[in-house]
Amino acid sequence: MKTLYVDRIDDFKLGHNQDHTALTGCTVIICEEGAVTGVDVKGGSPGSRETDLLASENTVEKVHATFLAGGSAYGLDVGSGVMKFLEEKEIGFDVQTTKVPIVPGAILFDLGIGDNKIRPDQDMGYKACENAYQNEKVFGNIGAGTGATIGKALGPEFSMKAGIGYAGYQLGPLQIAATVAVNAVGDVIDPYTGKQIAGIFDRKKNQLLSTSDILLSKGEQSLNHHGYYGNTTIGTIMTNAKLTKAQANKMATIAQDGIAKTINPSHTLMDGDTLFTMTSNRIEVDPTIISILATKVVTEAIIDGVTKAKTVLGVPSVQDLS
């Protein structure tokens, strides 16, 4: 059976909102009926909201949205706007007296570009939800990818612009997709060709450099400089496969292989790489198939986010490479 590319997944709505002057934004993924959801966090510097409730042993089975945001820890305020929007639509966990929207999320650090005094907030989260109902299909310098950059180990003068990307497939009735905001310290590698696509870029020599080689050459020197802390790749996988909460968590863990395949180095102590898996739980399928496709869509969403990014404030993109 052949996999077919799809630009949307049934049962899910995806929307962005951003400030193109401040260069920050957020992305929201909504499942109105609730999605069994898991999460996996890699690296030593995560920023997240409501991820503890996703542990397999905890009570809540379904969430109603996840969000991805810039703004570092300030961006977690987006979750309040998503909750407000969903509450107004009476979407949430029924506690008899009201319905409480369950909204986990993750953030990335983009305070080193644009105006760091303006961050994704409740209003931006609310507007991203409104936009999700417009069936948005635009990626790159938008949403959580608005201020995303990569290749930052030698400082901003060597960095490149990245963004948020998407990839989705259908195999029979099975659907699976991922949206990923790429904000890595490392280089992006196309695992299908082994070619470096982007990363540390010497603008004077018009040449890509190897982040791993540079970091290793520093030996015991401190790496807490040049914006090395300004990293983290975050994303959400969407599917209609039937999964338990434990399986959804496991799929998020396996899908981190997509980050490891395309970003070098990844999952460092100064990254907070985080992936969610959300499923509307409709189609019976071998979980091994899901694990293969989850890794594939994360891999391709990362490449998409980098190749669709555009130059901003003099930070070059892949589109500028000759």
Side-chain angles (χ1 to χ4, degrees):
M1 191 178 296
K2 186 177 181 180
T3 55
L4 303 174
Y5 192 86
V6 292
D7 61 9
R8 65 181 300 274
I9 301 296
D10 296 340
D11 303 319
F12 292 92
K13 301 180 186 299
L14 188 153
H16 311 285
N17 196 247
Q18 56 283 316
D19 185 319
H20 284 298
T21 301
L23 290 180
T24 194
C26 66
T27 298
V28 175
I29 302 94
I30 298 171
C31 184
E32 293 180 319
E33 296 183 13
V36 174
T37 300
V39 67
D40 187 74
V41 180
K42 291 282 193 292
S45 300
S48 59
R49 178 187 191 273
E50 294 273 50
T51 51
D52 283 352
L53 63 78
L54 299 180
S56 301
E57 69 272 15
N58 288 339
T59 302
V60 173
E61 284 291 323
K62 294 183 177 181
V63 312
H64 305 95
T66 60
F67 69 88
L68 313 171
S72 189
Y74 297 106
L76 294 174
D77 192 34
V78 164
S80 298
V82 180
M83 287 189 69
K84 182 176 186 293
F85 179 89
L86 294 176
E87 182 183 25
E88 290 175 2
K89 295 183 74 68
E90 298 185 350
I91 296 171
F93 181 70
D94 192 346
V95 295
Q96 296 186 342
T97 55
T98 188
K99 290 185 177 180
V100 180
I102 308 299
V103 184
I107 51 87
L108 56 79
F109 187 103
D110 59 3
L111 301 181
I113 188 171
D115 185 349
N116 63 23
K117 297 299 183 183
I118 298 176
R119 300 99 177 213
D121 56 13
Q122 179 175 334
D123 183 59
M124 193 177 283
Y126 189 96
K127 290 178 179 176
C129 291
E130 290 182 324
N131 292 337
Y133 283 76
Q134 305 304 313
N135 195 25
E136 286 192 312
K137 299 176 183 177
V138 180
F139 296 92
N141 292 24
I142 195 169
T146 305
T149 53
I150 56 173
K152 291 167 275 191
L154 287 179
E157 64 272 23
F158 285 86
S159 67
M160 291 184 67
K161 189 69 183 72
I164 189 167
Y166 169 91
Y169 288 94
Q170 182 156 341
L171 182 65
L174 170 67
Q175 294 180 323
I176 186 168
T179 185
V180 182
V182 188
N183 193 60
V185 68
D187 308 317
V188 175
I189 311 295
D190 184 339
Y192 302 117
T193 65
K195 180 182 177 181
Q196 181 178 345
I197 300 172
I200 291 184
F201 182 60
D202 188 327
R203 300 176 195 177
K204 294 181 179 179
K205 297 181 179 180
N206 194 35
Q207 179 181 358
L208 287 168
L209 307 176
S210 167
T211 296
S212 290
D213 288 349
I214 288 169
L215 294 181
L216 289 172
S217 71
K218 294 181 179 297
E220 296 180 355
Q221 295 179 44
S222 171
L223 298 178
N224 271 335
H225 64 292
H226 291 318
Y228 180 70
Y229 49 80
N231 314 308
T232 294
T233 295
I234 52 178
T236 294
I237 300 155
M238 301 153 276
T239 183
N240 61 356
K242 284 191 175 180
L243 298 172
T244 66
K245 193 176 178 184
Q247 288 173 326
N249 277 303
K250 189 64 176 178
M251 293 306 156
T253 300
I254 293 170
Q256 290 272 8
D257 288 351
I259 294 179
K261 285 181 176 181
T262 49
I263 297 175
N264 182 34
S266 58
H267 307 148
T268 72
L269 291 175
M270 301 309 294
D271 282 303
D273 300 336
T274 301
L275 290 178
F276 297 99
T277 296
M278 302 176 71
T279 177
S280 56
N281 236 24
R282 297 188 184 278
I283 305 299
E284 292 279 4
V285 64
D286 184 340
T288 301
I289 301 300
I290 297 298
S291 67
I292 294 170
L293 290 174
T295 300
K296 177 180 176 65
V297 293
V298 168
T299 296
E300 295 182 9
I302 291 171
I303 295 172
D304 187 62
V306 171
T307 54
K308 285 183 177 173
K310 295 182 179 179
T311 298
V312 66
L313 293 183
V315 180
S317 69
V318 171
Q319 297 179 20
D320 296 317
L321 301 184
S322 57

